[in-house]
Amino acid sequence: MADAVVVGAGIGGLAAALALQRRGWSVTVLERAAALEDVGAGLAVAPNALRALDHLGVGGPVRSLAALQGTAGVRRPDGRWIARTDAAAAERRFGEPTIVVHRPALVRVLADALAPGTLRLGRAVSDVSADGTVVTADGTLTAGLVVAADGLRSAVRQKLFPQVAPPVYAGVTSWRLIVGRPAGELKLSETWGDGKVFGVVALGDGRVYCYATAPAPPQQTAADERAELARHFAGWHAPIPALIEAAGDVIRTDIRCLDPTPPTFHRGRVALLGDAAHAMTPNLGQGACQALEDAVVLATHAGSLDRYSAERVPRTSAVAAASRRIAHLAGLHGPAAALRNAGMALAGKLGPSLVLRQMDPVLTWRPPT
Ligand SMILES: Cc1cc2nc3c(=O)[nH]c(=O)nc-3n(C[C@H](O)[C@H](O)[C@H](O)COP(=O)(O)OP(=O)(O)OC[C@H]3O[C@@H](n4cnc5c(N)ncnc54)[C@H](O)[C@@H]3O)c2cc1C
């Protein structure tokens, strides 16, 4: 049995380990953290990613974590709808719904599906070489394949792909929070105004996941992030202020991306995967979904990393570019924003299929046969 070492036990690394194990590889996952990710946030899992999870044999358990999202749409800060989406039409078109799950629950499903002993926590990798050598404080391993799934700030990418520019700040910071469901009807939506975004979605456990972005200088933090969020979204339509008021922990993350995406995802025996390869803005909710696609394709072409790069570089750079375009649209102000709103409203009136069709290239992906 061939040996693979996966650096990083995020969604990408765990999925890659599972995909390789299902193809007969003996896999070790080295994660520097002492425990698996426990970020109190939601994660949109789109039809393309659900098909990847089905391929990994865990689509059923992941679907069981989700709430049906129903009809949603984009609103103005005063609550009027700019455009509404028809969830049933989307599901008919893409063959699957987009579901939203609690991130740690998805991580747990992936980790539990691995063979016992695969995951080694508290093992930081200090060096990786193109010949498959992996160094930790416990010693040196040599692997037939090394998967660098070490995230946005990937040290493996910095060392083995020095020509790749470091991640750039996208000009906006983000906040994520999970709160109890407020009384009354909850309209699932993303609200756009003043270059800011506030999203509200339902989780399968009855709670509500909210995410928000706003322009801000990089690396700024507030003493009280909940108060900072309340300040940004004061006066926005109900239930946004009440949801912020009810929040416990608020996670703040500056949005950074790799732009452009690296021209190749492999060197020697080492393959980049997930955010290490193609960190993107979260506007399409596709960062982790693309990591799940990477995992399936990597396991299929693990013996020929040229093919992995050839399939994944154009695909992920197109999705990242589409995500940046939405970031740009969501960030518009004043007359440009009014024009955008009119265009979106018109597109919605001309027919929901027109809007949905634009997502075909992203959401109709299927695992290689
Ligand atoms: C606000 C926000 C909202 C988002 N929403 C969505 C969404 O709805 N849907 C979606 O698909 N995506 C979303 N994303 C993107 C998604 O979170 C990422 O694309 C995804 O988590 C990347 O997973 P990964 O496994 O590649 O990297 P990571 O999750 O960053 O995992 C990397 C792992 O590597 C470990 N590591 C790093 N260095 C070492 C080392 N030297 N040795 C050992 N271990 C190491 C780290 O500890 C970490 O566990 C969002 C992102 C943000 C910021």
Side-chain angles (χ1 to χ4, degrees), residues 53-82:
L53 289 163
D54 283 336
H55 190 84
L56 299 179
V58 293
V62 174
R63 282 183 185 81
S64 74
L65 300 170
L68 285 178
Q69 294 300 317
T71 295
V74 181
R75 305 174 81 173
R76 295 179 175 83
D78 64 8
R80 283 178 298 149
W81 293 93
I82 301 171

Side-chain angles (χ1 to χ4, degrees), residues 8 10-12 30-32 44 103 125 149-150 174 176 274-275 285 287-289:
I11 292 166
L30 301 172
E31 167 56 51
R32 70 178 168 198
R103 286 180 72 110
V125 170
D150 51 345
S174 72
R176 288 174 282 177
D275 276 10
C289 295

Side-chain angles (χ1 to χ4, degrees), residues 6-223:
V6 178
V7 185
I11 292 166
L14 292 170
L18 184 55
L20 288 165
Q21 265 176 358
R22 288 174 65 86
R23 290 206 162 238
W25 286 72
S26 163
V27 185
T28 303
V29 180
L30 301 172
E31 167 56 51
R32 70 178 168 198
L36 285 175
E37 174 185 301
D38 192 18
V39 174
L43 189 87
V45 182
N48 54 318
L50 280 172
R51 283 190 280 271
L53 289 163
D54 283 336
H55 190 84
L56 299 179
V58 293
V62 174
R63 282 183 185 81
S64 74
L65 300 170
L68 285 178
Q69 294 300 317
T71 295
V74 181
R75 305 174 81 173
R76 295 179 175 83
D78 64 8
R80 283 178 298 149
W81 293 93
I82 301 171
R84 301 189 82 157
T85 57
D86 178 345
E91 187 169 343
R92 276 196 305 279
R93 185 169 190 96
F94 303 120
E96 294 281 353
T98 290
I99 62 171
V100 180
V101 299
H102 191 215
R103 286 180 72 110
L106 171 61
V107 165
R108 181 47 62 199
V109 167
L110 291 169
D112 286 351
L114 294 172
T118 305
L119 184 56
R120 307 213 186 141
L121 296 170
R123 305 286 170 95
V125 170
S126 54
D127 194 27
V128 169
S129 302
D131 66 0
T133 308
V134 178
V135 182
T136 70
D138 296 334
T140 299
L141 304 168
T142 305
L145 171 68
V146 180
V147 182
D150 51 345
L152 172 77
R153 292 194 165 78
S154 169
V156 179
R157 183 187 66 237
Q158 285 170 42
K159 183 192 167 196
L160 295 183
F161 302 78
Q163 75 284 11
V164 174
V168 290
Y169 182 51
V172 292
T173 195
S174 72
W175 295 268
R176 288 174 282 177
L177 46 141
I178 291 181
V179 293
R181 197 178 175 113
E185 191 198 354
L186 183 74
K187 291 186 179 138
L188 308 170
S189 58
E190 209 170 85
T191 304
W192 290 8
D194 304 330
K196 304 176 192 176
V197 172
F198 197 99
V200 179
V201 291
L203 290 176
D205 60 11
R207 294 181 296 167
V208 177
Y209 164 53
C210 304
Y211 55 91
T213 57
Q219 289 175 320
Q220 224 180 40
T221 52

Side-chain angles (χ1 to χ4, degrees), residues 260-262 265 278 280 290 312-322 324:
T261 302
F265 287 170
H278 49 64
M280 57 186 72
Q290 290 302 309
R312 296 310 295 163
V313 171
R315 163 82 178 151
T316 53
S317 49
V319 175
R324 283 197 301 276

Side-chain angles (χ1 to χ4, degrees), residues 341-369:
N341 293 353
M344 285 168 68
L346 182 66
K349 283 201 186 94
L350 287 176
S353 63
L354 190 71
V355 179
L356 293 177
R357 204 181 311 149
Q358 294 174 33
M359 289 302 291
D360 279 358
V362 179
L363 302 185
T364 56
W365 177 89
R366 290 183 179 282
T369 45

